[in-house]
Amino acid sequence: MDTENLRSFLEVATQGSFTVAASRLNLAQSTVSARIRGLEEQLGRKLFVRDSDGVSLTPAGRQFLPHASTITRTWEQSRQDIAVPDGYEALLRLTAPAYLWDSITSPWIGWMRQRRPNVALRLEGSFPDLAIDQMAEGLLDICILYLPKPHPGIVYETLAVDQVVLVQHTQQEQPWTENYILMDWGLEFRVEHDRAFAGTVKPAISAGLVFIGLQHVLSQKAAAYLPLSAVSTHIERGELRRVEGAPVFQRPLYLAYPSNPASSDVLEVALAGLRALARDWSDVQGFAEGDRGFSMADG
C-alpha cells in the first residue's frame, strides 16, 4: 500500500475537501482524487461521499481512519530510525525555540561534535504539543519548551527560569495597550496577567510562539510580554524598550526526554551539555538556575 495514498486520504479526511487537501499537499486535485480511487480499489470500499458541504467519510472510511494514521506514523518512524547518515553510528534529534540558537543550541552542537563526533544531529522546529507527540512516537529525542505536556514515558526537568518582560516598539506612538499581542504562556500566566492589569488590556491578537510574537511586535510596532533573552538584542539596538513599571514574570524553561531512550549514553552526554550551557546562559542573563528532577514520567 502506497503511503502517499494514505497521506492524501488523511488530508482529505481532515480538511473535508479535495481542493483544500490538494493545496496543502501541493498537488493537483486530480492527483489526490486518483490516489483516493486507488486506495478505494485496494480496499474494495468507498471511503468518501460528496455532499453540499464538501466530502465526508463513509462508515468504512471512519473505520479505516485510525489504521491509516497508525500506518503512516509507523512508516515515518521506521524511515527516521534508519536515516542515520553514512559514517555515523547514531542520530540524535532535538527541537528548541529559535531564539535560543545563539545562546544554547549552536554551542550545544559544538559540545556534541567534540564529545560524540560519531553521532549525527538533526535539529527540528515544531509546536510543543506536536514535539511531545513526536517524542512519544520515537521521532524525537530532546525537546526544550515552556509548557510541559504530561505524557507517560517522558521526563521533564526545569532547565532554567526565564524572565518574561513587557516590551514595546520604540516607534509605537500610542499607549502600549492600544496595540498589544497577548502571548499564551499558559493558565498560570493568564491569571497573573489578568490580576496585574485588571481588565485594562483587551488584546485582539494572541500567539503561542515567541517567534510569532516578536515578529509581530517588530513589524507592527506593537507591544507584548516576551522572554528577556529573546528581546535583549533588540533592546540594545534601540528597536524595543521595556515598559516602565510593568511586572516581570518568571517562566520555567523545561527539558523533555524519554525515560527509556534507545541510546542512554548518547542522550546523557547531550543532556549534560544542555544543562551546562543553560547554567552559563542563566549566569550571563541573571536568571535563576533551574531545579533538576521535575518529572511527569508517570503522567
Side-chain angles (χ1 to χ4, degrees), residues 84-91 113 116-121:
V84 179
D86 292 341
Y88 294 90
E89 296 181 3
L91 174 67
R113 300 308 305 135
R116 288 293 186 274
N118 61 334
V119 175
L121 305 176

Side-chain angles (χ1 to χ4, degrees), residues 140-241:
L140 191 64
D141 301 297
I142 302 174
C143 179
I144 300 176
L145 72 168
Y146 277 102
L147 299 176
K149 174 185 177 182
H151 199 293
I154 294 178
V155 176
Y156 294 91
E157 65 179 64
T158 308
L159 184 64
V161 178
D162 208 346
Q163 295 185 52
V164 179
V165 299
L166 180 58
V167 295
Q168 67 177 149
H169 200 284
T170 52
Q171 296 180 24
Q172 186 178 19
E173 298 177 355
Q174 70 269 46
W176 67 267
T177 54
E178 298 300 316
N179 190 6
Y180 176 69
I181 177 171
L182 177 65
M183 298 303 299
D184 185 4
W185 297 105
L187 178 60
E188 181 181 349
F189 170 77
R190 290 195 295 272
V191 171
E192 294 173 353
H193 181 278
D194 291 345
R195 184 183 297 119
F197 297 105
T200 58
V201 181
K202 298 180 180 179
I205 304 173
S206 62
L209 292 178
V210 172
F211 174 79
I212 294 176
L214 178 56
Q215 292 305 309
H216 178 83
V217 170
L218 292 172
S219 64
Q220 302 301 314
K221 298 179 175 58
Y225 262 101
L226 293 165
L228 182 57
S229 53
V231 299
S232 57
T233 301
H234 299 281
I235 293 175
E236 293 172 0
R237 293 174 182 167
E239 298 169 331
L240 302 178
R241 63 171 174 260

Side-chain angles (χ1 to χ4, degrees), residues 79-80 91-95 108 120-124 140:
R79 190 181 66 84
Q80 292 278 353
L91 174 67
L92 190 72
R93 299 150 297 189
L94 173 141
T95 183
W108 174 79
L121 305 176
R122 181 179 178 87
L123 307 178
E124 303 281 0
L140 191 64

Side-chain angles (χ1 to χ4, degrees), residues 50-130:
R50 297 181 181 272
D51 52 41
S52 57
D53 295 326
V55 296
S56 59
L57 289 166
T58 64
R62 289 193 295 271
Q63 287 182 316
F64 183 61
L65 184 62
H67 298 292
S69 180
T70 299
I71 292 169
T72 53
R73 285 200 307 269
T74 301
W75 169 253
E76 182 62 24
Q77 181 173 344
S78 300
R79 190 181 66 84
Q80 292 278 353
D81 287 345
I82 65 173
V84 179
D86 292 341
Y88 294 90
E89 296 181 3
L91 174 67
L92 190 72
R93 299 150 297 189
L94 173 141
T95 183
Y99 74 89
L100 292 178
W101 174 262
D102 290 335
S103 55
I104 292 183
T105 310
S106 182
W108 174 79
I109 293 173
W111 170 286
M112 290 299 296
R113 300 308 305 135
Q114 181 179 3
R115 289 163 176 80
R116 288 293 186 274
N118 61 334
V119 175
L121 305 176
R122 181 179 178 87
L123 307 178
E124 303 281 0
S126 62
F127 289 93
D129 283 358
L130 177 58

